[in-house]
Amino acid sequence: MKVVIMAGGKGTRISSVTSDIPKPMIKIEGIPVLEREIKCLKDQGYDDIIMTVSHLGNIIMDYFGDGSGNSPATGKPFGVHIEYYFEKEPLGNAGALFKIKDKLTSDFLLLNADAMFDVDFNRFVAFHRKRGGLVTLFTHPNSHPYDSGLIVADKNGTVEKWLTKEDARPQYYKNRVNAGLHVINPKVLEFSDIDADLIGKNGANGKPVKVDLDRQLLKPLAGTGKMFCYDSPEYVKDMGTPERYYSVCADYKEGRVSGKNLKNKQKAVFLDRDGTINKYVGFLRKIDDFELIDGVAAAIRKINESGYLAIVVTNQPVIARGEVSFDELEEIHNKMETLLGKEDAYLDAIYYCPHHPHKGYEGECPELKIECDCRKPKPGMLLKAAEDYNIDLSQSWMIGDGENDVKAGINAGCKTVLLSEVDENYGQMVTVKSLSSFVNSGMK
């Protein structure tokens, strides 16, 4: 599979870090971030690369050549084949695709050159092929969804809406952000109404016509059933600002970049919802009753920074009892993600059990009144998360405020924490008053 890497950006927001080299050549621990991208790809068998370059592009071309030489930084072979398309006039971040479309005869990876990532591309591509769409977006939660492009999708991952930064967004939303990694079928170039002959030529305003990838090429596919999102907690972070660059440097030094690749075993902190994340009000039926516990967002932010996955596992019998619909529960969870996101925290995944074994409630859903494997204290939700994200349960924690939480953790083989102000013993390893107390103790 070919890989197209867009390496033509000027990097004006990060010019205080470096202004005499293109942004993709900024170094992380002595090696350009673009070289780290190429190594990640090459190690997984993706060695046929086309780079689109413009601003200071000669520096990139001189450094990598055709990919057959050795790295000036490491002395080791690049081990790839590289072609270039040099934009004499800026074409936008997708205009070059129309110029090289004859070289794109099947699905290809399209990546930004200024992002730090370490992801399992084979897993990503397999998902794309299984869905059979024109485009698959790599999506993830991040610590600043309020100023990021948001992707709205159905339960199958079909993209329904694409909300760019300038678009109005709902009051509450799922923290699902486009990470800038894509698998694309070249038919997308035919699907758009962009006149390829005009790209790069002066338009009505006297300036060269450019093509914006997100707004002109991909966003119009939302709602057509032709675009999907691939949710993953793996490490992808752009370095558009000095603050994010220094954050990436710290993450790399601490091993969090490579550690989050799903080829590696992950560690997770499983969190109950009611009484752990939000204030306990009994069966929570109304979205207005959802309120974060003081200090929870800061605690989850520390979990995010630690390298552990933050995953909610919650029993929601109100679904089976007919008291809350699936859509209403989703909106409650959207509120939870929005409130956390406003405080720079995020959840990597949410699992819930909608079942309830006891019958006799007015308005109940008979098909959900069953004995299941996911309702805590059974470990089904934790086991499913472990399968989805390659989690080592023995190195993970289950945290909750009740007996069922502790027993679910024990049944899954996790370490366990009970949040309680009284002396109760359900077999948990640790008892503390709050999530904040546990996280601030170093999760030991």
Side-chain angles (χ1 to χ4, degrees), residues 244-261:
R244 290 178 191 170
Y245 166 71
Y246 293 121
S247 174
V248 167
C249 290
D251 287 342
Y252 184 83
K253 190 174 290 187
E254 294 295 325
R256 286 190 282 269
V257 177
S258 60
K260 295 295 284 288
N261 189 306

Side-chain angles (χ1 to χ4, degrees), residues 213-228:
L213 176 68
D214 291 355
R215 293 162 179 81
Q216 292 179 266
L217 206 58
L218 300 183
K219 184 179 179 180
L221 291 174
T224 67
K226 299 177 185 295
M227 182 163 63
F228 297 85

Side-chain angles (χ1 to χ4, degrees), residues 180-379:
L181 312 181
H182 323 75
V183 186
I184 296 181
N185 186 292
K187 290 180 180 178
V188 166
L189 303 178
E190 303 169 11
F191 188 83
S192 74
D193 58 2
I194 296 167
D195 187 340
D197 292 334
L198 295 179
I199 298 172
K201 298 179 181 178
N202 289 341
N205 60 2
K207 297 180 180 180
V209 174
K210 301 178 183 180
V211 181
D212 184 276
L213 176 68
D214 291 355
R215 293 162 179 81
Q216 292 179 266
L217 206 58
L218 300 183
K219 184 179 179 180
L221 291 174
T224 67
K226 299 177 185 295
M227 182 163 63
F228 297 85
C229 63
Y230 169 79
D231 290 332
S232 174
E234 292 171 294
Y235 194 100
V236 184
K237 188 173 288 188
D238 78 86
M239 303 190 308
T241 66
E243 294 76 18
R244 290 178 191 170
Y245 166 71
Y246 293 121
S247 174
V248 167
C249 290
D251 287 342
Y252 184 83
K253 190 174 290 187
E254 294 295 325
R256 286 190 282 269
V257 177
S258 60
K260 295 295 284 288
N261 189 306
L262 289 181
K263 291 185 295 184
N264 303 317
K265 281 291 183 182
Q266 304 297 306
K267 298 185 296 183
V269 174
F270 294 102
L271 300 164
D272 177 44
R273 196 192 76 181
D274 302 319
T276 300
I277 292 177
N278 57 288
K279 295 179 180 179
Y280 184 76
V281 295
F283 287 121
L284 194 153
R285 302 176 179 88
K286 298 179 180 178
I287 192 169
D288 290 342
D289 292 335
F290 184 96
E291 185 178 352
L292 291 178
I293 296 171
D294 292 342
V296 157
I300 292 177
R301 185 167 65 246
K302 286 191 175 182
I303 294 172
N304 300 148
E305 293 167 352
S306 73
Y308 281 81
L309 302 179
I311 298 177
V312 167
V313 287
T314 175
N315 289 348
Q316 290 299 316
V318 288
I319 299 289
R321 289 161 52 137
E323 297 167 347
V324 175
S325 69
F326 284 103
D327 288 342
E328 288 169 332
L329 179 63
E330 181 179 1
E331 189 65 6
I332 290 171
H333 287 164
N334 285 349
K335 181 176 182 178
M336 175 169 61
E337 294 207 58
T338 302
L339 295 178
L340 289 172
K342 288 181 178 179
E343 298 191 52
D344 303 328
Y346 59 86
L347 300 168
D348 290 288
I350 300 173
Y351 293 81
Y352 63 87
C353 170
H355 306 112
H356 190 237
H358 306 135
K359 301 179 180 180
Y361 294 85
E362 184 178 355
E364 67 185 16
C365 301
E367 67 275 14
L368 299 177
K369 287 290 184 174
I370 61 172
E371 288 284 353
C372 63
D373 294 326
C374 53
R375 179 175 167 83
K376 293 179 293 185
K378 292 181 179 179

Side-chain angles (χ1 to χ4, degrees), residues 403-420:
E403 180 179 5
N404 284 344
D405 302 314
V406 172
K407 289 187 175 178
I410 292 172
N411 290 335
C414 294
K415 297 176 281 188
T416 52
V417 179
L418 176 68
L419 305 182
S420 177

